[in-house]
Each structure stands twice: as structure tokens, then as C-alpha cells.
Amino acid sequence: MRNARAAHPTRRGILAAGGAIGLGAALAACGDDDAKSGSGGDAGAGKSGPWSFKDDRGTTVKLDSVPKNIVAFTGVAAALWDYGVEVKGVFGPTTTKDGKPDVQAGDLDVAKVTVLGNEWGKLNVEKYATLAPEVLVTTTFDTAGTLWSVPEESKDKVAKLAPSVAISVFDRQLTQPLQRMWELAESLGADMKAKKVTDAKAAFEKAAARLRAAAKAKPEIRVLAGSASADLFYVSGTNLSVDLEYFKALGVNFVEPSEEAKKATGGWFESLSWENVDKYPADVIIMDDRASTIQPADITEGTWKQLPAVKAGQVIARSPEPILSYDKCTPLLNNLAEAIENAKKVG
């Protein structure tokens, strides 16, 4: 959803912008101890023999052995890294302008991977080929199984070089893709019984219980999921995004854009001018943390600064494209729980 830059966004462009949010790019228009520590050790080293994995498109990839030359979307690579699985190359937002890891890279050692495209929708096919890829792994944000961040214009060339695996993050709760990523990592040789891994899953479950309790204790607190661009403010609906669907299932009271307003974006979000940013009263605002969007501290619009939640300091970050490991998703739950626990009714 990042860099879909078209005057009239295609369906994929809309997903790019609002799917994982309410949109980063389309916005602009209108990416042995090592395994246990999660530091990216050679998790598959102990596995031999044939490998297969059935992805969320219903496609089964079969190889003669566990793949070592893995190329993945940056956020997927970060999730696999947390389970001790290294990838050889990545595509998608990986490093910032100062060379530091992008928010979507998590704990991934960006110096250890070949970056094939450092923004959404960019993948250098020639460079990709030199890695002798055995499998490409990414997510999908639609029912068609479109490979996230694989350029439309070169998808056929990419497909000829290696089979692909897609984990769906469309219209389901966060726990489903988390489980699928767990299964993928395990198939690739990750030690899923390592203490770091089991502790992370237990911490996630504890955080989920905390958020459920916070939402139950303060059902009157309204939460709005937003995203900012220079010209527009995007309010995300909860029906398609994995994080928001899960938070809602835990009882969080979300502000919902009207169905009529969401039609133009396939149900993902509503676009508001900055003059109308106060259309939906909210007590807590969770803002898209991706580099393609304007962060709260950098928003200069006076209408934004006058919002009750902003004046009350009740604005936190949201990860519309969560890194699908329990370790990285736990803070998302705890941060929202804390915000609701401490929130005052202001909207």
C-alpha cells in the first residue's frame, strides 16, 4: 500500500494505500543460539529432504530441499528473522534515508540482506535473478492472491525465476496470519520450542487479555485509526485490516467511516480533507507509522492540532502492516491497551 502512485488508483493501488492502512502511497498519489535468540541463525541447517508448503492462495510449493535462498518482502523477512530464519534478499521499505532499518524491517539485520527495492512496489528483477532464488515469500491483501509489493509490470518475469508463497492478511484477524507465519517458519527449520519463541507467544496472549480487559473497562472510549498525507487524512475502517479486525474482536470501540464513503476504496478507508478532519469524534487516535506517511509530530495543519484527542496527548502509533511474529505484535496490543487504560473521554 505504499507507493501506488496513479492519478486514478487501480484496485491494487487502492489496497496499497488503504489496505494496510488507510494509505501510504496512494496517498501520495491522489514497502544454534542464533535461532533461539531470534538473531537470524541458519534455522534450516538441520533439515534435509523435500520441502513443501501450502500457502493462503491454496498453492503448494514443493522443492527438493528446504530453501536457503529465500527472498521476501521486508516485513515478512523481519518476521522470519524473529524465528531464526534468514533470507537472502528483500524488497519493500528496508532502510531510511540515514541507512537505519525502516520501521517495517523490525530487528532484521539490514546489512546481511540484498535490498532489491527499498520502497513498496519496487523489485529489481535482474538483481533478483543473481541471487538464484528458490522461493519468494510475501503477503497478499486481496482475494485474488496478488503478491504484495511485487511490481505488476514484472510479475511474470519474477514468477519464472522462483515459486512464491503468500500469507494472506486480508479480511481476517491478526491471529490467523500470525499462526501461518509460525507454520512457515517451522517448515523452514525454525526451532519453535525455543524459549524466546514460546515466551513471545505467551506474552502476546497476555497482552491480548490486557487489551480485552481495558476495552471492557472503558467501552465509552472511541478509537480512530488514521493516516496522514500532505493533502488528505485517511480514516480506516475495521472490516478488512488484520490488526483492526482483531482489536475490534477484543472489544475495542472503533470509529467507523460510513459504508458509502468507503465504497471508492473497496471498503478500506475514507479520505477527508484537512478542513474536515474533525468529522468523526474520537478519544484516542492510532496513526499509521509507516515512512510513506506523515507522522503526528510533523503534521502542521491547525485543524489537526485542535482535535480533542491530539490536545489531550491521546495519539499513539499503529502498524497497518504488522510484522507477523508474536514478538513484534505484542507491543501493538500493549500500547493500545495502555492508551485506553489512561484515556480520558474527550471526543
Side-chain angles (χ1 to χ4, degrees), residues 14-32:
I14 287 175
L15 290 177
I21 40 186
L23 92 242
L27 320 200
C30 311
D32 120 358

Side-chain angles (χ1 to χ4, degrees), residues 107-229:
D107 292 331
L108 181 68
D109 187 343
V110 296
K112 281 191 171 185
V113 296
T114 298
V115 180
L116 304 173
N118 196 30
E119 59 181 288
W120 189 89
K122 298 294 183 181
L123 195 164
N124 186 312
V125 180
E126 290 71 25
K127 200 172 182 181
Y128 176 57
T130 66
L131 298 181
E134 295 174 90
V135 66
L136 178 148
V137 189
T138 186
T139 52
T140 182
F141 279 84
D142 59 28
T143 56
T146 305
L147 297 178
W148 190 243
S149 200
V150 173
E152 183 71 22
E153 64 274 13
S154 56
K155 65 179 183 180
D156 292 338
K157 293 180 180 179
V158 170
K160 290 179 181 179
L161 293 170
S164 59
V165 166
I167 301 297
S168 179
V169 286
F170 175 72
D171 194 16
R172 60 200 61 201
Q173 294 181 26
L174 180 60
T175 47
Q176 291 176 269
L178 272 173
Q179 178 60 29
R180 293 295 284 145
M181 192 64 71
W182 174 288
E183 293 167 0
L184 176 59
E186 186 172 36
S187 80
L188 293 169
D191 180 4
M192 309 313 283
K193 294 181 180 180
K195 187 175 186 302
K196 176 181 175 65
V197 174
T198 57
D199 283 355
K201 188 171 185 180
F204 176 88
E205 293 167 351
K206 182 178 179 180
R210 178 186 179 186
L211 179 55
R212 186 189 298 277
K216 184 177 182 180
K218 288 190 172 183
E220 74 281 6
I221 297 300
R222 292 169 297 184
V223 179
L224 182 149
S227 186
S229 72

Side-chain angles (χ1 to χ4, degrees), residues 227-249:
S227 186
S229 72
D231 300 319
L232 296 171
F233 182 79
Y234 303 82
V235 179
S236 291
T238 62
N239 293 335
L240 300 177
S241 299
V242 291
D243 62 329
L244 302 185
E245 282 204 18
Y246 184 52
F247 299 158
K248 181 172 65 174

